[in-house]
Each structure stands twice: as structure tokens, then as C-alpha cells.
Amino acid sequence: MSNDAKQLHAVVTGSSGGIGKAICEELLTAGWRITGVDLSPATIEQSAFTHQALDLSHQQQTSTVAAGLVHVDALVHAAGVLRVAPIGKLDAKAGELMWKLHVDAASLLADALVPSMVERGFGRVVFIGSRVAQGLPGRGQYAATKAAVIAMARSWAVEVAPNGVTVNVVSPGATATPMLKDPARAGSAPRMPPMGRLVEPHEIASLVTYLLSPAAAAITGQNLNICGGSSLSQ
């Protein structure tokens, strides 16, 4: 982005690690100004990056912070957790946490930020979903939240398409992030994609950066798998 161009502002959740951090780094390189939202301390130190501490599973806190975010050109909701359990051993609290973080937080942030994008005639929204939304043993509660995100994105995309705002979902397959080592997913090992390696966070970040660009203006309401071929048999 040239120095005389308007610096676009993106809000990115889950900015302190994994996919969210990779997205922030890629967008900063592309010239964006970033407000990174995460419960964990900031792990990026750049003049164009501002850290906002927030527990996204707390609805009132999320609403308050969202109301204070101004002139946002893009929202990327990358924060997430994975809890696994087979039917018969489902954990209601884990299911509630995933719903609050993946679905409720996305709703609150979008509801606060998208209307101003519509008014200005430009905006980009990307939710990080999961290929698991198609269903996988032991991950029914997680899959349900990610499937809900896709349904919301498609619904909202239709509403705001005439106003220059796009809403999409990027759904990674098994990705090389700290989440893979989370004890909460013990007994549910990631499935290696056909390409023979895990997806890298920077690969997801590159796709998200493109979706936020002017060149992606005609892409909206889509669920884009980035899974190394894992979805080819479905």
C-alpha cells in the first residue's frame, strides 16, 4: 500500500498466537492498521498494531469493546478453542464455551461493526471456520459451532452484498498451531492431509489477506476450504 493511500483498519481476534497472529503479521506487511483482540498478552510489537485484551466468551465485555471500535474496514474472527467428546460423554460447559466464542462473539462483533461498513460502502468480514463443520467423530459440539458460523456468514453476505461488503468463511484443515498440542483434544489426533503435511498458518493468512483486498470484491458468502486435499473425498 502506498504511503499516500488511506491506511485500512482491521480488527483481528485471536491475535496473540496461531492463525490469528499469522493473519495480523500478513496484514501489517500489506500496510493495514490492526487492532488485535485476545485474552492473552500481545505477541506483536509494531506501531500499526494495537492490542485489546478481551475475554470473547464474556458477552457484556465483548459488546462494550465492540462498541468502542471505530472506522473498522475489516473484521477477522480467528479466535477459537477445540474441545472433543464422543456422544454419551458430551461436556455441556465445553459446548457452551465453544458456542460463545465461535458464534456469539462473531455475532456481537459483526452486529457492532458491519453497519458502519455498509454506510461507507466498503467492508470485509472473514470468519475462520473449520473443515470439521462437515462432521467428524468426537467433535460434534465443535462442528456444530463452525457450521453455524457458515450459515451466519451466508445469511449476512446476502444482506450486505449491495453495499460493497463481503462476508466469507475460511475453513482450514489440520493446521500447525499450538491447538494441536492442547491436552483438551487428547485422543483426537489431527488427520494428515493428502498433501502429506499440515497446513501452515501463513498459508491461511495469505488467503485471508486476499479476501480483504479490493481484488476479492466479487467473492462473498463462500466457505473456502484450505485443507491440503482433505475435502476431496467429500
Side-chain angles (χ1 to χ4, degrees):
M1 180 178 296
S2 62
N3 291 331
D4 59 349
K6 168 182 168 290
Q7 188 174 36
L8 297 173
H9 177 206
V11 171
V12 181
T13 69
S15 58
S16 295
I19 294 171
K21 182 179 180 180
I23 291 169
C24 289
E25 292 172 335
E26 183 101 6
L27 290 175
L28 287 166
T29 299
W32 286 72
R33 177 168 64 91
I34 306 295
T35 297
V37 177
D38 204 303
L39 183 59
S40 300
T43 56
I44 296 175
E45 293 186 9
Q46 288 196 33
S47 59
F49 180 86
T50 301
H51 177 70
Q52 173 64 62
L54 174 63
D55 180 355
L56 286 160
S57 68
H58 192 291
Q59 296 179 348
Q60 186 56 55
Q61 289 180 16
T62 301
S63 294
T64 300
V65 169
L69 296 168
V70 297
H71 205 104
V72 175
D73 300 291
L75 166 65
V76 181
H77 185 41
V81 295
L82 172 64
R83 299 290 183 266
V84 300
I87 188 72
K89 297 183 179 180
L90 299 181
D91 184 334
K93 290 185 178 179
E96 182 181 13
L97 172 62
M98 289 187 286
W99 189 269
K100 286 181 177 180
L101 186 54
H102 301 157
V103 183
D104 287 346
S107 298
L108 292 169
L109 291 168
D111 196 48
L113 301 179
V114 171
S116 62
M117 298 180 191
V118 169
E119 290 178 4
R120 294 195 305 272
F122 175 84
R124 298 286 186 266
V125 178
V126 175
F127 299 125
I128 300 302
S130 173
R131 200 183 70 82
V132 175
Q134 300 174 25
L136 200 64
R139 303 188 195 179
Q141 292 167 299
Y142 178 79
T145 66
K146 293 300 187 177
V149 166
I150 295 171
M152 290 194 308
R154 289 178 59 84
S155 300
W156 295 337
V158 175
E159 293 182 34
V160 300
N163 304 102
V165 180
T166 66
V167 186
N168 292 291
V169 180
V170 171
S171 292
T175 305
T177 68
M179 185 182 286
L180 293 185
K181 301 177 182 179
D182 190 337
R185 68 174 295 159
S188 181
R191 297 184 179 184
M192 189 65 67
M195 69 178 177
R197 64 169 177 81
L198 299 175
V199 179
E200 293 294 334
H202 72 85
E203 294 173 314
I204 299 165
S206 293
L207 176 56
V208 171
T209 299
Y210 172 70
L211 290 173
L212 267 54
S213 73
I219 303 174
T220 193
Q222 302 304 305
N223 176 40
L224 304 171
N225 288 319
I226 178 165
C227 60
S230 295
S231 60
L232 291 175
S233 60
Q234 298 179 334

